[in-house]
Every structure is written in C-alpha cells, then in structure tokens.
Amino acid sequence: MSEQSKSPQAPDRTPRVVIAGAGMAGVQTAVALREQGWRGAITLLGDEPHQPYDRPPLSKAVLLGKADGSAFDIDFAGLGIDLHLGRPVTALRPGEHVVETAEGPVRYDYAVIATGAEPVRLPGSEGLPGVHLLRTLDDAERLRPVLAAQHRVVVVGAGWIGAEFATAAREAGCEVTVVEAAEHPLAGALPAEVAAYMTGWYADAGAELRTGARVASVTGDAVTLADGTVLPADAVVVGVGARPATAWLAGSGVALSPEDGSVLADERLRTSVPGVYAVGDCASFPSARYGIRLLVHHWDNALQGPRTVAENIARGEAEGVVYDPVPYFWSEQFGRFVQYAGHHVDADELVWRGDPAGAAWSVIWLRGTREPAGGGAGRPAGRLVALLAVGRPRDLAQGRRLIEKGALLDRERAADATVPLKSAVL
C-alpha cells in the first residue's frame, strides 16, 4: 500500500465516511464533506499509485509533454482525510458496514461509490503491444513517446476522446487516421445533421477520417477493417467509449442498471442500500428536469455531484438536497472550443445560430411550442433544453442559465445569431 498521508487513528466510535475512488468525484466528495462541517473520519481509497489528479489535461498538456501531471492541489493531511493509494476496492459488504480491499476491510458508517468508468476495449486487443487506451495518467505517459516520435497513428473511435487525441497527435506531427463505425463523428452524442459539419475539421487539421468503417481486427502494427482494408500503424489508440466501473459491487445488494451497469442512485444520489451513496461516472440519477434517468460521463458532473452527496451526509436525511443539474461539458479539438449544456434527445426542434460552416456557431434545442400571450403574441416559441456552442462561449453561458430557469424563447429571435440569447426570452 502506498499511503500518502494519514491522520491519527480515530476511535472505532468515530463516524466514518469511506469513499471508494480517488478521481475527481471521490476527491471532491472528501473535500466537500469538510466544507459542509463533517467532523468524523474520512477515508479515501484510490486504485492508482499516483497522487489524485485531474483528467482533462491528459489528452492535452500531459500527452504533449507540456506538463508532467495534473495532481490536485489539496492538503489531504491538513483536512484530516486518510488517503490510501494503490488500494483498489474489491467488494462492498453492507451487512457488516465494510468496504473490502486487497489489504483488508475498512469499516464505514457511510460509504460513497465513486469508482468512475473504465474504457471499453476492442475484443482481442488487450495486452497487445502498440495498442493504447487514454484514460489514466499512465496511459498518457505511455503515449507521450509515440507522439514525440511522430509515428503513424490509427485512432479507433471518433468520439470526444478520439477527436481530442487526434488533435494532439496532429499538433505533435503524427500521421493520423481515425476510423469510426458510424456514419459521422460523435455519433453517440450529437445528431447527424450537426456532426456532419464537424467532419471537415479532421481534414482541415491534416487527419484522415474514415466513417462507416468497422474494425475487423487489431494488432500492434495495423488495423484491419471489415471491408479488408489494412491500415498500417506504429500505434493504435482505442477510444470507443467507457462503462461504469461497478463489477466489484456484485453481490452487495446495490442496484445496478441492466442496460449500462451504472449504480441506480436516487434523486439525492443514495443507492438502494442504506448509508451508501454513488456519484460521478459510475452513477445514473433521475432528472425531474428532463423526465429521464441520466448517466453523465463528464468532468462537471464529477465536480457538482459530490457537493450534493456531502451535504446529504453531513446534514442528514431531514435536510437532504436533490441533485438535478443541467449537464455540461466541453472539448478542445482541431483549434475549436466546443461546449454543450443540457440534454437534447427529447427536444422537438433544432435551431441554428450562425453558419455551421464558419468558425463560430451554435445550435439550440427547443421543446414544446405555444403562442405566447402579451407582446409576443403570434410568435412561435419553445422551451430551451439544450445548446451546443462552437467558439461562442457567451451563447453557452447565457444558454446554460436559461436552461436552468426553464426559459421560453422566441424562436425567430433565438435563430438570429446577432441577438443575445437572453434577449430572445419571452
């Protein structure tokens, strides 16, 4: 066990929160507990040997050798947080109030599941030399020399991670080919009519994008497509998604989604087991705002959710708070800053703001229409539920607040890119 900091052993009677996972969600839960006045013990268990770190720089500064890491600037010892590194959790035994690890059990009064997500691997690719993932600091460190040597790289998957890695690889001077099984990039995140305008970004950056290209097999030096095409590669980077890291909960009684394996948390981020909470990439939660259960694999969720968990633990059930955020994320790719807020899947209408062939534009999604009364009578309107902004941070900032308020927008004014979104509110 690598234990970076340790406060004096608390008596057994001291209430203890044990947090499984030392990524953003776990670390922020520990810090937020102290901010909320929790005076009991806090034990934070991390499976990696590294000091807890932030993940977004891994696909940017760390990958390009512009930074050695992205450790959180947190004084764990000063906050009285027992940080145990290199100590992965192996089981949860609620009947005994114990989190099991390879080095023995850890007793808890409250437990927080914050084990995040693990990357989906291509069948047959695990352990192959030259085949890489990009999820951890060690992954980024292994890829740094690949970029520094300006190798030929094939990226499998044109999602957010694939696009960000391709951006960094091109910046480093690598020859990059990206293969995507769907007919357009970001297929799982955006509709085809929007993502179509992002396809050209790859060619503009000097990367080749092959859509509708299914992978038949992967080796350390080539990717073979289903149509027989062989793409030689000095390195292969797989970015085809992630799934909640919840297998260790088998037999615990914690309810998991049969569809995606996420912990089925309630509106206060409580699990089906009393005294056990779940937060971050491993947990889904019901959204009253959108009327569905959300599983959000993004940084902002791992930052915001812990505040709800900490408040509910520190203040107790009687004063508990509900978690119903407007999902938000961003991506830096091919010289563009892309931001998204909300959830567009059940929207009724998509409205463009600006020319999507240009450098800066937005898309908004509206739900429901009506003929508003008063001065706006006769003008079509809809409730703003989601927004995608490319190089238009003001749209995002205003739109995010309007989504939170459930604002109704005048459709014609909202479609005018010269009109601030807040000025389109009815």
Side-chain angles (χ1 to χ4, degrees):
M1 175 182 72
S2 173
E3 190 170 317
Q4 294 295 311
S5 60
K6 187 174 182 180
S7 60
Q9 180 64 45
D12 288 344
R13 66 179 179 275
T14 302
R16 178 179 298 275
V17 177
V18 175
I19 304 168
M24 169 66 85
V27 167
Q28 291 300 322
T29 299
V31 173
L33 279 165
R34 290 299 185 221
E35 292 174 345
Q36 289 293 331
W38 174 260
R39 296 180 179 275
I42 301 174
T43 299
L44 183 60
L45 304 172
D47 59 353
E48 295 184 52
H50 310 291
Q51 194 75 7
Y53 58 88
D54 204 4
R55 293 189 187 276
L58 298 185
S59 60
K60 307 171 184 71
V62 175
L63 193 59
L64 290 169
K66 298 178 180 179
D68 292 327
S70 53
F72 294 116
D73 184 17
I74 295 172
D75 182 0
F76 292 99
L79 290 172
I81 298 169
D82 296 332
L83 174 61
H84 299 255
L85 301 179
R87 190 173 181 180
V89 294
T90 57
L92 178 71
R93 293 193 277 119
E96 301 166 61
H97 274 238
V98 158
V99 174
E100 201 63 74
T101 75
E103 298 184 19
V106 183
R107 180 192 64 80
Y108 71 83
D109 293 277
Y110 295 97
V112 180
I113 301 167
T115 42
E118 53 195 7
V120 175
R121 300 175 184 271
L122 287 179
S125 67
E126 189 168 0
L128 289 177
V131 178
H132 301 263
L133 300 168
L134 182 52
R135 183 75 183 178
T136 68
L137 179 59
D138 287 340
D139 292 336
E141 293 291 351
R142 282 189 286 267
L143 279 164
R144 279 171 71 161
V146 172
L147 269 61
Q150 299 184 333
H151 282 316
R152 292 176 302 176
V153 179
V154 174
V155 181
V156 181
W160 300 111
I161 289 296
E164 290 183 2
F165 176 81
T167 298
R170 284 300 302 139
E171 184 177 333
C174 296
E175 179 183 326
V176 179
T177 300
V178 180
V179 296
E180 169 59 50
E183 296 301 323
H184 59 85
L186 297 170
L190 296 173
E193 61 189 306
V194 176
Y197 289 96
M198 300 173 170
T199 301
W201 297 358
Y202 288 78
D204 292 344
E208 180 184 3
L209 173 64
R210 291 176 175 242
T211 57
R214 295 189 175 277
V215 173
S217 64
V218 174
T219 63
D221 58 5
V223 172
T224 301
L225 303 181
D227 66 2
T229 301
V230 177
L231 303 173
D234 297 302
V236 177
V237 178
V238 178
V240 293
R243 62 169 61 94
T246 56
W248 67 282
L249 293 168
S252 68
V254 172
L256 304 179
S257 165
E259 286 80 27
D260 54 38
S262 65
V263 177
L264 293 171
D266 70 5
E267 72 282 356
R268 296 186 182 184
L269 298 182
R270 299 171 296 192
T271 73
S272 59
V273 172
V276 180
Y277 291 75
V279 67
D281 290 1
C282 66
S284 59
F285 55 90
S287 170
R289 187 190 309 276
Y290 292 106
I292 61 169
R293 176 169 287 273
L294 295 177
L295 175 61
V296 182
H297 282 187
H298 293 296
W299 183 90
D300 190 67
N301 179 54
L303 176 67
Q304 303 296 338
R307 297 170 184 168
T308 296
V309 170
E311 186 168 351
N312 287 337
I313 290 175
R315 298 190 180 185
E317 294 295 326
E319 301 181 49
V321 295
V322 170
Y323 187 60
D324 194 6
V326 172
Y328 166 74
F329 69 89
W330 79 94
S331 176
E332 296 178 69
Q333 52 184 269
F334 308 116
R336 296 166 174 84
F337 188 44
V338 183
Q339 295 172 284
Y340 178 94
H343 182 73
H344 70 270
V345 173
D346 295 324
D348 298 315
E349 184 178 10
L350 180 155
V351 178
W352 295 94
R353 284 174 56 82
D355 181 4
W361 49 275
S362 297
V363 173
I364 62 173
W365 283 269
L366 304 176
R367 179 190 295 166
T369 57
R370 70 172 178 82
E371 300 300 326
R379 298 177 70 90
R383 195 166 306 283
L384 182 64
V385 295
L387 180 143
L388 173 77
V390 177
R392 289 180 66 95
R394 181 174 297 180
D395 272 6
L396 190 287
Q398 293 183 11
R400 189 178 184 183
R401 289 193 291 269
L402 296 177
I403 295 169
E404 289 173 347
K405 296 177 181 178
L408 197 67
L409 301 189
D410 179 309
R411 188 189 304 142
E412 292 180 14
R413 288 182 62 76
D416 186 343
T418 65
V419 175
L421 272 177
K422 63 182 180 181
S423 297
V425 175
L426 291 170

